[in-house]
Amino acid sequence: LSRSAQLIFYLKLHEVMSMIILIPRLFSFTLVSNLFTNIIPFYLSSIFPPQIVALFRIQVSIVQSVTAIFPLNNKVISTILFDQRDNACAVLDKLLAFSINYFYLLTTVFLTIAMVLYSPEYTQAFIILPILHASIIMERYFLAMEMRKALVLINYIITLFACTTVIWVSSVQQMVLLYAVGISLYLLLMLTTAPKFRLKPMMLYLTLSCPLTVLLSLKSSYIGITAILICLLLILKYSPTNKNTWTMLKA
């Protein structure tokens, strides 16, 4: 080979090696999501009957798929945060306020319908929906603010916690509770690591209330929906959103 051809070969090889090195880091950014979607169900499939694992998978899949109906998709959220990094905390406030108003209202509707039409076992996972989407927004914020090391560390901490705790799981209800605790702890660590912003106290309260609401809903679906309604009323009173918020985010 000529010297120029060798140089091109080594440059291409360097690009390939760089991508290979980057893959574990990219995976670690979404490790918590992959953990509850694929890793834990795969582990549980060797312990529980297929019907029980399938029920858990269905609930997780429904919750994660519902986040896709948010008016701003994840790429748009990332773009907004990247483009407005100088004003990131204010933008984060607007995004989270819009998200919790949207998803707590949606969760209330879903819980009501599910309680009427389905078994209570199908309703508990909906409670996690607002916290899950808030964690997605916080992930994008961390990436936009180049806080990647902190995000990777938080992902590893939650993974270690979940993998240690899952050995005590013995029912679908406990699987959902573990999911709620894992996602809530994930969001809690991101919130406490992030700089101060206006909505932070409210988000901390909602994050801590999520596992408790799921736990209460295991005893009674009516208690669970009552707790969600209380959260929704607090949000509408102290963190309402309006057309101006949507217009500013869309712009």
Side-chain angles (χ1 to χ4, degrees):
L1 292 175
S2 66
R3 183 169 297 180
S4 59
Q6 289 178 351
L7 179 60
I8 293 172
F9 172 77
Y10 285 121
L11 287 173
K12 291 292 184 183
L13 182 61
H14 181 265
E15 289 179 4
V16 172
M17 292 302 297
S18 297
M19 286 298 298
I20 292 173
I21 293 170
L22 189 61
I23 287 172
R25 183 180 296 179
L26 293 173
F27 176 74
S28 64
F29 291 148
T30 57
L31 186 56
V32 169
S33 177
N34 287 318
L35 178 73
F36 288 104
T37 307
N38 299 309
I39 300 173
I40 284 182
F42 177 76
Y43 165 76
L44 293 173
S45 65
S46 64
I47 301 173
F48 293 105
Q51 296 88 343
I52 293 178
V53 179
L55 181 58
F56 176 67
R57 275 185 175 274
I58 289 170
Q59 293 190 67
V60 172
S61 298
I62 290 173
V63 170
Q64 291 187 339
S65 62
V66 169
T67 60
I69 67 174
F70 190 62
L72 300 173
N73 64 44
N74 294 339
K75 289 184 179 179
V76 173
I77 292 172
S78 295
T79 301
I80 292 171
L81 288 166
F82 269 107
D83 290 345
Q84 302 188 46
R85 277 181 289 186
D86 294 338
N87 198 28
C89 285
V91 176
L92 181 63
D93 265 322
K94 293 182 178 68
L95 286 168
L96 287 174
F98 189 31
S99 175
I100 59 176
N101 274 270
Y102 185 87
F103 280 111
Y104 269 99
L105 181 60
L106 208 61
T107 298
T108 304
V109 174
F110 283 164
L111 282 175
T112 304
I113 295 172
M115 284 174 59
V116 173
L117 299 179
Y118 302 103
S119 167
E121 289 184 342
Y122 290 92
T123 67
Q124 295 145 4
F126 286 120
I127 297 169
I128 310 167
L129 181 56
I131 299 304
L132 177 62
H133 192 262
S135 71
I136 292 172
I137 293 175
M138 288 301 300
E139 281 177 352
R140 271 54 187 181
Y141 172 80
F142 270 62
L143 292 172
M145 301 306 293
E146 298 184 354
M147 299 170 66
R148 291 174 174 82
K149 289 184 179 179
L151 182 59
V152 169
L153 179 60
I154 292 170
N155 271 270
Y156 286 149
I157 290 172
I158 301 305
T159 300
L160 180 62
F161 163 78
C163 290
T164 304
T165 311
V166 73
I167 60 176
W168 305 103
V169 169
S170 59
S171 66
V172 175
Q173 290 83 358
Q174 290 179 1
M175 292 180 198
V176 176
L177 182 58
L178 175 60
Y179 187 32
V181 173
I183 295 299
S184 298
L185 185 57
Y186 182 47
L187 179 57
L188 182 64
L189 290 177
M190 285 192 286
L191 288 170
T192 53
T193 305
K196 186 177 179 180
F197 57 94
R198 183 188 61 83
L199 205 60
K200 193 171 185 177
M202 171 70 77
M203 292 307 305
L204 289 171
Y205 164 75
L206 295 175
T207 303
L208 292 171
S209 69
C210 178
L212 180 60
T213 303
V214 172
L215 183 62
L216 291 173
S217 73
L218 296 178
K219 300 182 180 298
S220 169
S221 297
Y222 295 101
I223 297 176
I225 195 169
T226 301
I228 288 293
L229 279 171
I230 292 171
C231 290
L232 177 60
L233 291 174
L234 288 172
I235 290 166
L236 293 176
K237 181 175 176 59
Y238 295 107
S239 300
T241 189
N242 50 42
K243 288 184 178 180
N244 292 333
T245 303
W246 167 245
T247 302
M248 291 178 69
L249 289 174
K250 194 174 181 181

